[in-house]
Amino acid sequence: MLFLRECEDAAREASRRGVPLGVIALSIGEGDEARLWTPLDAAIFDTVSQKLRERLRPGCFSSQFGSTIFIVLPGTGEEETAAFGRRLVERGLDLYLDGTPMELSASAGAATVVAWSDASRDLRDAFSRAVAALHLAWRRGSASFTMHSIAFDRQRRRENCIGRAIANALHRGEFTLNYQPIVDVIESRVVAVEALMRWKHPSLGGLMPDEFVPLAERLGYARGLDEYALTAALVDFPALRDALGDVKLHVNISPEQLWLPAAAQTLLAIVASSKIDPGDIVLEVTESARVEPLDGLVATLERLRCAGVRIAIDDLGAGFNSFQFFANITSDVVKIDRTVVPLDRTDERRKAMLDGVMRVCSALRLDQIVEGVETREQHELVLAAGGRLAQGFRYGFPVAPELIAGLYPQGKVQLAR
Ligand code: C2E
Ligand code: CA
Ligand code: CA
């Protein structure tokens, strides 16, 4: 569709220049009802389009999809977009059909976006936010206008700010690693540590990976972040081993772009330069909605395994991690997500789920680590299910590497009663 193609070109150009894109979703109805669902009569639509064309400056577009008219205003900030949308609904379009004034009313919703790496996706995102705002406006009554929620836009601005800072943070070394023990629950002993990234952002303060990792992935920094984490973890590892004894090192790697043929090579080069035995390293990978192509990812993981690095499937049972992914990836370890762990001993459903998942993993001869064990009761349930390895606040929180030796003398876990 030409309109979409033109908008995408405009979004790309805007993204190249770092300027925002205003998007307005407009619904027009006859009388005092701005209809959301019924497509406009063709004659009315032509008149509206003509009027809009006169109002829009060059480089701006409008088109109708179903009953909604989309207007895209490249290079237009939040305030200007809001002002334009408000004018449309309050003053109307001043339309005449065959010389007679048309009694039309409009509702509009608007959103702005500073397009990032994927201008087409960001454009679609802005369309859907504008439509969400239109629905809100429409519910308020005709001739209303809503800008997509300020809180949402604040969140967007925060994301933009964080996104822009990632490259610099990698360069300046603002990321650090905390370590959380993975425990043999029968012997109460640390058998491995998982490196978990933290970011001390100069103005936003401490940031957690749940916020910045998905952004890094979206913006194409996933490989850089992983290489950073692996390098730093390998530097910390000898001291952690001195403190804990014979433990393994778990590092998370993003599935994003892991299919690239160079991905395994780069990770293996980092391992090789550390003089740490690849067999002591477990790389944890989760499924993501965007793992494409799967055979490329499988090839990378195979290359890593051939070099002796162990692979863990992370978060099995959580939203994204489907059995389809599990069926296609050969791994050595499986981490069973906390959503499968029973909340307490009355939680029969999760008890059955944990039991079932553990059986599948045992049949595949995979080491199993139960994640998210928080309470003594859950700990006992893991033991009762035949689990041996677990991780969770019950055994220890992620902490800075220098605290590990004091918390787990010679790798011993002291459990509070
Ligand atoms: P994950 O790999 O599943 O890591 C475990 C997360 O669960 C950690 O959150 C940890 O603090 C939290 N956790 C541990 N025990 C418990 C518990 O008993 N209860 C609850 N409710 N939570 C527990 P964190 O550190 O915020 O990390 C979040 C996610 O960010 C990680 O989930 C991982 O997917 C990602 N991540 C962290 N570091 C890195 C990294 O260096 N690279 C990449 N690619 N992703 C990372
Ligand atoms: Ca993990
Ligand atoms: Ca996990």
Side-chain angles (χ1 to χ4, degrees), residues 177 180 194-198 208-210 212-214 217 222 225-226 229-230 251-255 284 286 314-315 335 337-338 371-375 378 391-394 396-398:
L177 294 172
Q180 187 180 28
E194 178 177 3
L196 293 161
M197 217 176 221
R198 302 290 180 259
M208 295 300 277
D210 277 342
F212 66 79
V213 169
E217 290 176 340
L225 209 65
D226 287 352
L230 184 60
V251 178
N252 291 284
I253 47 170
S254 159
E284 298 190 2
T286 38
D314 203 354
D315 305 335
K335 298 188 78 178
D337 192 69
R338 64 171 162 273
E371 294 191 291
V373 178
E374 294 182 355
T375 63
Q378 288 178 317
Q391 180 177 1
F393 300 159
R394 167 76 182 152
F397 291 91

mmCIF file of all heavy atoms in Angstrom, residues 177 180 194-198 208-210 212-214 217 222 225-226 229-230 251-255 284 286 314-315 335 337-338 371-375 378 391-394 396-398, ligand 1:
data_model
loop_
_atom_site.group_PDB
_atom_site.id
_atom_site.type_symbol
_atom_site.label_atom_id
_atom_site.label_comp_id
_atom_site.label_asym_id
_atom_site.label_seq_id
_atom_site.Cartn_x
_atom_site.Cartn_y
_atom_site.Cartn_z
ATOM 1 N N LEU A 177 28.547 -6.973 37.209
ATOM 2 C CA LEU A 177 27.862 -8.252 37.360
ATOM 3 C C LEU A 177 27.654 -8.566 38.828
ATOM 4 O O LEU A 177 28.538 -8.344 39.651
ATOM 5 C CB LEU A 177 28.703 -9.371 36.719
ATOM 6 C CG LEU A 177 28.865 -9.290 35.201
ATOM 7 C CD1 LEU A 177 29.858 -10.329 34.703
ATOM 8 C CD2 LEU A 177 27.527 -9.466 34.495
ATOM 9 N N GLN A 180 24.613 -14.934 41.617
ATOM 10 C CA GLN A 180 23.655 -15.648 42.460
ATOM 11 C C GLN A 180 24.035 -17.127 42.462
ATOM 12 O O GLN A 180 24.341 -17.689 41.402
ATOM 13 C CB GLN A 180 22.235 -15.483 41.918
ATOM 14 C CG GLN A 180 21.191 -16.079 42.858
ATOM 15 C CD GLN A 180 19.761 -15.926 42.344
ATOM 16 O OE1 GLN A 180 19.524 -15.861 41.140
ATOM 17 N NE2 GLN A 180 18.810 -15.901 43.263
ATOM 18 N N GLU A 194 25.512 -17.776 38.816
ATOM 19 C CA GLU A 194 24.997 -17.139 37.591
ATOM 20 C C GLU A 194 25.330 -15.656 37.622
ATOM 21 O O GLU A 194 25.029 -14.964 38.595
ATOM 22 C CB GLU A 194 23.481 -17.323 37.460
ATOM 23 C CG GLU A 194 22.942 -16.603 36.212
ATOM 24 C CD GLU A 194 21.443 -16.797 35.955
ATOM 25 O OE1 GLU A 194 20.764 -17.458 36.767
ATOM 26 O OE2 GLU A 194 20.979 -16.271 34.921
ATOM 27 N N ALA A 195 25.956 -15.183 36.546
ATOM 28 C CA ALA A 195 26.281 -13.758 36.429
ATOM 29 C C ALA A 195 25.037 -13.007 35.963
ATOM 30 O O ALA A 195 24.433 -13.369 34.964
ATOM 31 C CB ALA A 195 27.409 -13.567 35.423
ATOM 32 N N LEU A 196 24.648 -11.995 36.706
ATOM 33 C CA LEU A 196 23.464 -11.192 36.354
ATOM 34 C C LEU A 196 23.872 -9.722 36.257
ATOM 35 O O LEU A 196 24.479 -9.173 37.187
ATOM 36 C CB LEU A 196 22.368 -11.402 37.400
ATOM 37 C CG LEU A 196 21.790 -12.821 37.417
ATOM 38 C CD1 LEU A 196 21.074 -13.120 38.728
ATOM 39 C CD2 LEU A 196 20.855 -13.054 36.230
ATOM 40 N N MET A 197 23.547 -9.130 35.165
ATOM 41 C CA MET A 197 24.049 -7.795 34.879
ATOM 42 C C MET A 197 23.308 -6.686 35.604
ATOM 43 O O MET A 197 22.095 -6.760 35.791
ATOM 44 C CB MET A 197 23.935 -7.564 33.384
ATOM 45 C CG MET A 197 25.085 -6.775 32.848
ATOM 46 S SD MET A 197 24.938 -6.632 31.082
ATOM 47 C CE MET A 197 26.635 -6.887 30.636
ATOM 48 N N ARG A 198 24.043 -5.670 35.990
ATOM 49 C CA ARG A 198 23.473 -4.459 36.594
ATOM 50 C C ARG A 198 24.096 -3.273 35.886
ATOM 51 O O ARG A 198 25.220 -3.359 35.419
ATOM 52 C CB ARG A 198 23.832 -4.385 38.098
ATOM 53 C CG ARG A 198 23.370 -5.594 38.912
ATOM 54 C CD ARG A 198 21.856 -5.617 39.039
ATOM 55 N NE ARG A 198 21.353 -6.749 39.801
ATOM 56 C CZ ARG A 198 20.827 -7.836 39.256
ATOM 57 N NH1 ARG A 198 20.769 -7.977 37.941
ATOM 58 N NH2 ARG A 198 20.352 -8.806 40.008
ATOM 59 N N MET A 208 17.943 -2.368 36.238
ATOM 60 C CA MET A 208 17.911 -3.832 36.234
ATOM 61 C C MET A 208 17.831 -4.355 34.795
ATOM 62 O O MET A 208 17.293 -3.694 33.920
ATOM 63 C CB MET A 208 16.705 -4.331 37.037
ATOM 64 C CG MET A 208 16.777 -3.983 38.518
ATOM 65 S SD MET A 208 18.218 -4.687 39.330
ATOM 66 C CE MET A 208 17.617 -6.345 39.670
ATOM 67 N N PRO A 209 18.353 -5.565 34.597
ATOM 68 C CA PRO A 209 18.400 -6.088 33.221
ATOM 69 C C PRO A 209 17.038 -6.254 32.559
ATOM 70 O O PRO A 209 16.932 -6.167 31.351
ATOM 71 C CB PRO A 209 19.097 -7.451 33.371
ATOM 72 C CG PRO A 209 19.030 -7.784 34.815
ATOM 73 C CD PRO A 209 18.959 -6.491 35.552
ATOM 74 N N ASP A 210 16.001 -6.492 33.359
ATOM 75 C CA ASP A 210 14.675 -6.629 32.747
ATOM 76 C C ASP A 210 14.303 -5.385 31.950
ATOM 77 O O ASP A 210 13.512 -5.444 31.020
ATOM 78 C CB ASP A 210 13.603 -6.834 33.834
ATOM 79 C CG ASP A 210 13.541 -8.295 34.238
ATOM 80 O OD1 ASP A 210 14.041 -9.135 33.471
ATOM 81 O OD2 ASP A 210 13.012 -8.580 35.326
ATOM 82 N N PHE A 212 16.821 -2.984 30.715
ATOM 83 C CA PHE A 212 17.726 -2.586 29.636
ATOM 84 C C PHE A 212 18.088 -3.697 28.654
ATOM 85 O O PHE A 212 18.434 -3.406 27.514
ATOM 86 C CB PHE A 212 18.984 -1.887 30.194
ATOM 87 C CG PHE A 212 19.895 -2.752 31.033
ATOM 88 C CD1 PHE A 212 20.776 -3.641 30.458
ATOM 89 C CD2 PHE A 212 19.893 -2.637 32.418
ATOM 90 C CE1 PHE A 212 21.626 -4.412 31.234
ATOM 91 C CE2 PHE A 212 20.721 -3.410 33.201
ATOM 92 C CZ PHE A 212 21.595 -4.302 32.601
ATOM 93 N N VAL A 213 17.984 -4.980 29.056
ATOM 94 C CA VAL A 213 18.343 -6.049 28.106
ATOM 95 C C VAL A 213 17.389 -6.081 26.898
ATOM 96 O O VAL A 213 17.845 -6.092 25.757
ATOM 97 C CB VAL A 213 18.464 -7.429 28.806
ATOM 98 C CG1 VAL A 213 18.566 -8.558 27.782
ATOM 99 C CG2 VAL A 213 19.685 -7.456 29.728
ATOM 100 N N PRO A 214 16.060 -6.043 27.130
ATOM 101 C CA PRO A 214 15.185 -6.040 25.947
ATOM 102 C C PRO A 214 15.420 -4.837 25.031
ATOM 103 O O PRO A 214 15.357 -4.948 23.818
ATOM 104 C CB PRO A 214 13.779 -5.982 26.553
ATOM 105 C CG PRO A 214 13.935 -6.485 27.941
ATOM 106 C CD PRO A 214 15.303 -6.096 28.388
ATOM 107 N N GLU A 217 18.498 -5.434 23.073
ATOM 108 C CA GLU A 217 18.211 -6.387 22.000
ATOM 109 C C GLU A 217 17.527 -5.686 20.830
ATOM 110 O O GLU A 217 17.877 -5.890 19.680
ATOM 111 C CB GLU A 217 17.334 -7.533 22.529
ATOM 112 C CG GLU A 217 18.102 -8.440 23.475
ATOM 113 C CD GLU A 217 17.244 -9.532 24.101
ATOM 114 O OE1 GLU A 217 16.009 -9.385 24.118
ATOM 115 O OE2 GLU A 217 17.825 -10.527 24.589
ATOM 116 N N ALA A 222 22.657 -6.509 21.532
ATOM 117 C CA ALA A 222 22.645 -7.766 22.277
ATOM 118 C C ALA A 222 24.014 -8.449 22.259
ATOM 119 O O ALA A 222 24.506 -8.893 23.292
ATOM 120 C CB ALA A 222 21.581 -8.702 21.724
ATOM 121 N N LEU A 225 26.506 -6.628 24.479
ATOM 122 C CA LEU A 225 26.220 -6.811 25.903
ATOM 123 C C LEU A 225 26.697 -8.198 26.359
ATOM 124 O O LEU A 225 27.291 -8.354 27.423
ATOM 125 C CB LEU A 225 24.715 -6.681 26.110
ATOM 126 C CG LEU A 225 24.237 -6.158 27.448
ATOM 127 C CD1 LEU A 225 24.685 -4.721 27.639
ATOM 128 C CD2 LEU A 225 22.712 -6.202 27.511
ATOM 129 N N ASP A 226 26.415 -9.204 25.538
ATOM 130 C CA ASP A 226 26.819 -10.571 25.883
ATOM 131 C C ASP A 226 28.337 -10.709 25.947
ATOM 132 O O ASP A 226 28.877 -11.355 26.841
ATOM 133 C CB ASP A 226 26.271 -11.565 24.848
ATOM 134 C CG ASP A 226 24.770 -11.750 24.997
ATOM 135 O OD1 ASP A 226 24.211 -11.229 25.972
ATOM 136 O OD2 ASP A 226 24.184 -12.426 24.138
ATOM 137 N N ALA A 229 29.467 -9.127 29.113
ATOM 138 C CA ALA A 229 29.167 -9.932 30.309
ATOM 139 C C ALA A 229 30.107 -11.134 30.398
ATOM 140 O O ALA A 229 30.651 -11.428 31.475
ATOM 141 C CB ALA A 229 27.717 -10.405 30.274
ATOM 142 N N LEU A 230 30.318 -11.802 29.282
ATOM 143 C CA LEU A 230 31.184 -12.987 29.313
ATOM 144 C C LEU A 230 32.610 -12.594 29.679
ATOM 145 O O LEU A 230 33.242 -13.232 30.527
ATOM 146 C CB LEU A 230 31.130 -13.697 27.946
ATOM 147 C CG LEU A 230 31.919 -15.002 27.851
ATOM 148 C CD1 LEU A 230 31.412 -16.040 28.864
ATOM 149 C CD2 LEU A 230 31.866 -15.593 26.434
ATOM 150 N N VAL A 251 26.554 -17.823 32.402
ATOM 151 C CA VAL A 251 26.423 -16.479 31.832
ATOM 152 C C VAL A 251 25.235 -16.493 30.873
ATOM 153 O O VAL A 251 25.056 -17.451 30.116
ATOM 154 C CB VAL A 251 27.722 -16.073 31.077
ATOM 155 C CG1 VAL A 251 27.564 -14.682 30.447
ATOM 156 C CG2 VAL A 251 28.926 -16.095 32.013
ATOM 157 N N ASN A 252 24.414 -15.453 30.943
ATOM 158 C CA ASN A 252 23.246 -15.374 30.049
ATOM 159 C C ASN A 252 23.671 -14.859 28.679
ATOM 160 O O ASN A 252 24.448 -13.910 28.579
ATOM 161 C CB ASN A 252 22.206 -14.408 30.626
ATOM 162 C CG ASN A 252 21.575 -14.964 31.877
ATOM 163 O OD1 ASN A 252 20.733 -15.853 31.813
ATOM 164 N ND2 ASN A 252 22.020 -14.477 33.032
ATOM 165 N N ILE A 253 23.155 -15.491 27.647
ATOM 166 C CA ILE A 253 23.376 -14.900 26.322
ATOM 167 C C ILE A 253 22.023 -14.709 25.641
ATOM 168 O O ILE A 253 21.138 -15.538 25.748
ATOM 169 C CB ILE A 253 24.327 -15.708 25.412
ATOM 170 C CG1 ILE A 253 23.978 -17.183 25.405
ATOM 171 C CG2 ILE A 253 25.768 -15.487 25.803
ATOM 172 C CD1 ILE A 253 24.734 -17.946 24.341
ATOM 173 N N SER A 254 21.931 -13.579 24.980
ATOM 174 C CA SER A 254 20.679 -13.262 24.301
ATOM 175 C C SER A 254 20.578 -14.078 23.019
ATOM 176 O O SER A 254 21.563 -14.226 22.300
ATOM 177 C CB SER A 254 20.675 -11.770 23.991
ATOM 178 O OG SER A 254 19.768 -11.529 22.968
ATOM 179 N N PRO A 255 19.384 -14.595 22.721
ATOM 180 C CA PRO A 255 19.244 -15.352 21.468
ATOM 181 C C PRO A 255 19.274 -14.446 20.231
ATOM 182 O O PRO A 255 19.411 -14.913 19.116
ATOM 183 C CB PRO A 255 17.866 -16.014 21.618
ATOM 184 C CG PRO A 255 17.126 -15.145 22.558
ATOM 185 C CD PRO A 255 18.138 -14.530 23.483
ATOM 186 N N GLU A 284 23.577 -19.635 29.192
ATOM 187 C CA GLU A 284 22.122 -19.793 29.326
ATOM 188 C C GLU A 284 21.427 -19.026 28.207
ATOM 189 O O GLU A 284 21.652 -17.836 28.034
ATOM 190 C CB GLU A 284 21.649 -19.235 30.674
ATOM 191 C CG GLU A 284 22.244 -19.956 31.859
ATOM 192 C CD GLU A 284 21.572 -19.551 33.179
ATOM 193 O OE1 GLU A 284 20.618 -18.737 33.163
ATOM 194 O OE2 GLU A 284 22.009 -20.053 34.230
ATOM 195 N N THR A 286 17.613 -18.221 26.293
ATOM 196 C CA THR A 286 16.147 -18.330 26.335
ATOM 197 C C THR A 286 15.629 -18.238 24.921
ATOM 198 O O THR A 286 16.270 -17.686 24.044
ATOM 199 C CB THR A 286 15.484 -17.130 27.045
ATOM 200 O OG1 THR A 286 16.198 -15.963 26.690
ATOM 201 C CG2 THR A 286 15.403 -17.309 28.513
ATOM 202 N N ASP A 314 17.168 -21.657 29.348
ATOM 203 C CA ASP A 314 16.726 -20.873 30.506
ATOM 204 C C ASP A 314 15.198 -20.733 30.490
ATOM 205 O O ASP A 314 14.582 -20.774 29.426
ATOM 206 C CB ASP A 314 17.367 -19.478 30.402
ATOM 207 C CG ASP A 314 17.471 -18.783 31.740
ATOM 208 O OD1 ASP A 314 16.959 -19.321 32.736
ATOM 209 O OD2 ASP A 314 18.075 -17.695 31.796
ATOM 210 N N ASP A 315 14.625 -20.566 31.664
ATOM 211 C CA ASP A 315 13.197 -20.204 31.790
ATOM 212 C C ASP A 315 12.236 -21.203 31.156
ATOM 213 O O ASP A 315 11.216 -20.800 30.594
ATOM 214 C CB ASP A 315 12.916 -18.822 31.159
ATOM 215 C CG ASP A 315 13.792 -17.729 31.716
ATOM 216 O OD1 ASP A 315 14.256 -17.871 32.854
ATOM 217 O OD2 ASP A 315 14.009 -16.732 31.010
ATOM 218 N N LYS A 335 16.919 -24.993 32.838
ATOM 219 C CA LYS A 335 16.499 -24.248 34.024
ATOM 220 C C LYS A 335 14.990 -24.121 33.993
ATOM 221 O O LYS A 335 14.419 -23.570 33.040
ATOM 222 C CB LYS A 335 17.187 -22.876 34.057
ATOM 223 C CG LYS A 335 18.708 -23.041 34.153
ATOM 224 C CD LYS A 335 19.407 -21.751 34.381
ATOM 225 C CE LYS A 335 19.300 -21.323 35.829
ATOM 226 N NZ LYS A 335 20.048 -20.055 36.049
ATOM 227 N N ASP A 337 11.608 -22.710 34.942
ATOM 228 C CA ASP A 337 11.206 -21.372 35.354
ATOM 229 C C ASP A 337 10.375 -21.371 36.642
ATOM 230 O O ASP A 337 9.652 -22.321 36.931
ATOM 231 C CB ASP A 337 10.396 -20.705 34.245
ATOM 232 C CG ASP A 337 10.206 -19.233 34.512
ATOM 233 O OD1 ASP A 337 11.198 -18.494 34.441
ATOM 234 O OD2 ASP A 337 9.066 -18.818 34.838
ATOM 235 N N ARG A 338 10.453 -20.245 37.341
ATOM 236 C CA ARG A 338 9.754 -20.170 38.635
ATOM 237 C C ARG A 338 8.237 -20.232 38.498
ATOM 238 O O ARG A 338 7.552 -20.533 39.462
ATOM 239 C CB ARG A 338 10.173 -18.942 39.419
ATOM 240 C CG ARG A 338 9.833 -17.620 38.797
ATOM 241 C CD ARG A 338 10.112 -16.508 39.793
ATOM 242 N NE ARG A 338 10.201 -15.223 39.135
ATOM 243 C CZ ARG A 338 11.310 -14.746 38.607
ATOM 244 N NH1 ARG A 338 12.418 -15.443 38.650
ATOM 245 N NH2 ARG A 338 11.311 -13.565 38.029
ATOM 246 N N GLU A 371 14.320 -22.940 39.289
ATOM 247 C CA GLU A 371 14.552 -21.512 39.572
ATOM 248 C C GLU A 371 13.482 -20.939 40.502
ATOM 249 O O GLU A 371 12.377 -21.482 40.609
ATOM 250 C CB GLU A 371 14.473 -20.705 38.276
ATOM 251 C CG GLU A 371 15.551 -20.988 37.273
ATOM 252 C CD GLU A 371 15.543 -19.951 36.166
ATOM 253 O OE1 GLU A 371 14.594 -19.946 35.369
ATOM 254 O OE2 GLU A 371 16.480 -19.146 36.120
ATOM 255 N N GLY A 372 13.835 -19.823 41.130
ATOM 256 C CA GLY A 372 12.837 -19.047 41.874
ATOM 257 C C GLY A 372 12.345 -19.685 43.162
ATOM 258 O O GLY A 372 11.195 -19.482 43.557
ATOM 259 N N VAL A 373 13.215 -20.467 43.814
ATOM 260 C CA VAL A 373 12.821 -21.076 45.094
ATOM 261 C C VAL A 373 12.998 -20.014 46.182
ATOM 262 O O VAL A 373 14.107 -19.562 46.431
ATOM 263 C CB VAL A 373 13.673 -22.325 45.396
ATOM 264 C CG1 VAL A 373 13.292 -22.923 46.737
ATOM 265 C CG2 VAL A 373 13.522 -23.338 44.276
ATOM 266 N N GLU A 374 11.891 -19.613 46.776
ATOM 267 C CA GLU A 374 11.947 -18.491 47.725
ATOM 268 C C GLU A 374 11.759 -18.929 49.175
ATOM 269 O O GLU A 374 12.282 -18.307 50.090
ATOM 270 C CB GLU A 374 10.874 -17.463 47.361
ATOM 271 C CG GLU A 374 11.142 -16.788 46.029
ATOM 272 C CD GLU A 374 10.115 -15.729 45.672
ATOM 273 O OE1 GLU A 374 9.132 -15.572 46.415
ATOM 274 O OE2 GLU A 374 10.310 -15.065 44.645
ATOM 275 N N THR A 375 10.956 -19.970 49.383
ATOM 276 C CA THR A 375 10.596 -20.310 50.757
ATOM 277 C C THR A 375 11.101 -21.703 51.129
ATOM 278 O O THR A 375 11.450 -22.503 50.261
ATOM 279 C CB THR A 375 9.067 -20.318 50.926
ATOM 280 O OG1 THR A 375 8.534 -21.355 50.081
ATOM 281 C CG2 THR A 375 8.444 -18.997 50.538
ATOM 282 N N GLN A 378 8.882 -24.309 49.565
ATOM 283 C CA GLN A 378 9.203 -24.585 48.157
ATOM 284 C C GLN A 378 10.464 -25.441 48.052
ATOM 285 O O GLN A 378 10.538 -26.352 47.231
ATOM 286 C CB GLN A 378 9.404 -23.281 47.385
ATOM 287 C CG GLN A 378 8.107 -22.538 47.140
ATOM 288 C CD GLN A 378 8.329 -21.226 46.415
ATOM 289 O OE1 GLN A 378 9.262 -20.491 46.730
ATOM 290 N NE2 GLN A 378 7.472 -20.925 45.464
ATOM 291 N N GLN A 391 17.889 -22.712 42.491
ATOM 292 C CA GLN A 391 18.379 -21.339 42.581
ATOM 293 C C GLN A 391 17.211 -20.496 43.064
ATOM 294 O O GLN A 391 16.066 -20.770 42.708
ATOM 295 C CB GLN A 391 18.793 -20.894 41.174
ATOM 296 C CG GLN A 391 19.334 -19.492 41.058
ATOM 297 C CD GLN A 391 19.781 -19.173 39.617
ATOM 298 O OE1 GLN A 391 19.655 -20.012 38.722
ATOM 299 N NE2 GLN A 391 20.274 -17.974 39.406
ATOM 300 N N GLY A 392 17.492 -19.522 43.881
ATOM 301 C CA GLY A 392 16.393 -18.661 44.339
ATOM 302 C C GLY A 392 16.786 -17.929 45.602
ATOM 303 O O GLY A 392 17.827 -18.193 46.206
ATOM 304 N N PHE A 393 15.916 -16.986 45.990
ATOM 305 C CA PHE A 393 16.208 -16.149 47.151
ATOM 306 C C PHE A 393 16.356 -16.975 48.426
ATOM 307 O O PHE A 393 17.000 -16.551 49.372
ATOM 308 C CB PHE A 393 15.114 -15.092 47.308
ATOM 309 C CG PHE A 393 14.981 -14.160 46.118
ATOM 310 C CD1 PHE A 393 13.815 -13.444 45.892
ATOM 311 C CD2 PHE A 393 16.045 -13.981 45.230
ATOM 312 C CE1 PHE A 393 13.698 -12.581 44.811
ATOM 313 C CE2 PHE A 393 15.945 -13.128 44.144
ATOM 314 C CZ PHE A 393 14.756 -12.430 43.929
ATOM 315 N N ARG A 394 15.756 -18.164 48.463
ATOM 316 C CA ARG A 394 15.910 -19.048 49.621
ATOM 317 C C ARG A 394 17.397 -19.337 49.899
ATOM 318 O O ARG A 394 17.808 -19.449 51.041
ATOM 319 C CB ARG A 394 15.157 -20.360 49.338
ATOM 320 C CG ARG A 394 15.452 -21.522 50.276
ATOM 321 C CD ARG A 394 14.773 -21.342 51.616
ATOM 322 N NE ARG A 394 15.067 -22.419 52.546
ATOM 323 C CZ ARG A 394 15.078 -22.272 53.857
ATOM 324 N NH1 ARG A 394 14.817 -21.109 54.418
ATOM 325 N NH2 ARG A 394 15.334 -23.298 54.641
ATOM 326 N N GLY A 396 20.045 -17.567 48.219
ATOM 327 C CA GLY A 396 20.864 -16.365 48.152
ATOM 328 C C GLY A 396 20.439 -15.445 47.036
ATOM 329 O O GLY A 396 19.950 -15.888 45.999
ATOM 330 N N PHE A 397 20.612 -14.140 47.285
ATOM 331 C CA PHE A 397 20.288 -13.119 46.288
ATOM 332 C C PHE A 397 21.494 -12.899 45.380
ATOM 333 O O PHE A 397 22.613 -13.263 45.752
ATOM 334 C CB PHE A 397 19.957 -11.800 46.998
ATOM 335 C CG PHE A 397 18.665 -11.861 47.757
ATOM 336 C CD1 PHE A 397 18.633 -12.237 49.094
ATOM 337 C CD2 PHE A 397 17.468 -11.549 47.123
ATOM 338 C CE1 PHE A 397 17.433 -12.308 49.783
ATOM 339 C CE2 PHE A 397 16.266 -11.616 47.807
ATOM 340 C CZ PHE A 397 16.248 -11.994 49.142
ATOM 341 N N PRO A 398 21.273 -12.302 44.226
ATOM 342 C CA PRO A 398 22.426 -11.906 43.415
ATOM 343 C C PRO A 398 23.208 -10.816 44.166
ATOM 344 O O PRO A 398 22.610 -9.849 44.622
ATOM 345 C CB PRO A 398 21.804 -11.337 42.135
ATOM 346 C CG PRO A 398 20.390 -11.843 42.121
ATOM 347 C CD PRO A 398 19.991 -11.979 43.555
HETATM 348 P P1 C2E B 1 17.145 -14.969 34.451
HETATM 349 O O1 C2E B 1 18.275 -15.391 33.588
HETATM 350 O O2 C2E B 1 15.981 -15.887 34.574
HETATM 351 O O3 C2E B 1 17.784 -14.642 35.857
HETATM 352 C C1 C2E B 1 17.159 -14.899 37.068
HETATM 353 C C2 C2E B 1 16.393 -13.682 37.534
HETATM 354 O O4 C2E B 1 15.518 -14.102 38.572
HETATM 355 C C3 C2E B 1 17.301 -12.631 38.143
HETATM 356 O O5 C2E B 1 16.725 -11.379 37.904
HETATM 357 C C4 C2E B 1 17.223 -12.970 39.639
HETATM 358 O O6 C2E B 1 17.494 -11.868 40.473
HETATM 359 C C5 C2E B 1 15.796 -13.392 39.757
HETATM 360 N N1 C2E B 1 15.615 -14.330 40.855
HETATM 361 C C6 C2E B 1 16.489 -15.207 41.385
HETATM 362 N N2 C2E B 1 15.945 -15.913 42.377
HETATM 363 C C7 C2E B 1 14.671 -15.506 42.505
HETATM 364 C C8 C2E B 1 13.594 -15.861 43.375
HETATM 365 O O7 C2E B 1 13.684 -16.716 44.248
HETATM 366 N N3 C2E B 1 12.419 -15.209 43.182
HETATM 367 C C9 C2E B 1 12.268 -14.255 42.243
HETATM 368 N N4 C2E B 1 11.078 -13.653 42.141
HETATM 369 N N5 C2E B 1 13.269 -13.879 41.391
HETATM 370 C C10 C2E B 1 14.457 -14.501 41.525
HETATM 371 P P2 C2E B 1 17.569 -10.193 37.255
HETATM 372 O O8 C2E B 1 18.966 -10.171 37.751
HETATM 373 O O9 C2E B 1 16.735 -8.966 37.399
HETATM 374 O O10 C2E B 1 17.637 -10.610 35.741
HETATM 375 C C11 C2E B 1 16.507 -10.621 34.946
HETATM 376 C C12 C2E B 1 16.782 -11.196 33.603
HETATM 377 O O11 C2E B 1 17.622 -10.375 32.811
HETATM 378 C C13 C2E B 1 17.504 -12.531 33.665
HETATM 379 O O12 C2E B 1 16.578 -13.533 33.963
HETATM 380 C C14 C2E B 1 18.078 -12.610 32.265
HETATM 381 O O13 C2E B 1 17.095 -13.075 31.353
HETATM 382 C C15 C2E B 1 18.386 -11.186 31.957
HETATM 383 N N6 C2E B 1 19.828 -10.931 32.167
HETATM 384 C C16 C2E B 1 20.478 -10.694 33.318
HETATM 385 N N7 C2E B 1 21.800 -10.531 33.089
HETATM 386 C C17 C2E B 1 21.978 -10.704 31.753
HETATM 387 C C18 C2E B 1 23.126 -10.679 30.889
HETATM 388 O O14 C2E B 1 24.276 -10.484 31.304
HETATM 389 N N8 C2E B 1 22.909 -10.900 29.552
HETATM 390 C C19 C2E B 1 21.651 -11.140 29.053
HETATM 391 N N9 C2E B 1 21.525 -11.358 27.748
HETATM 392 N N10 C2E B 1 20.576 -11.176 29.833
HETATM 393 C C20 C2E B 1 20.727 -10.974 31.177
#
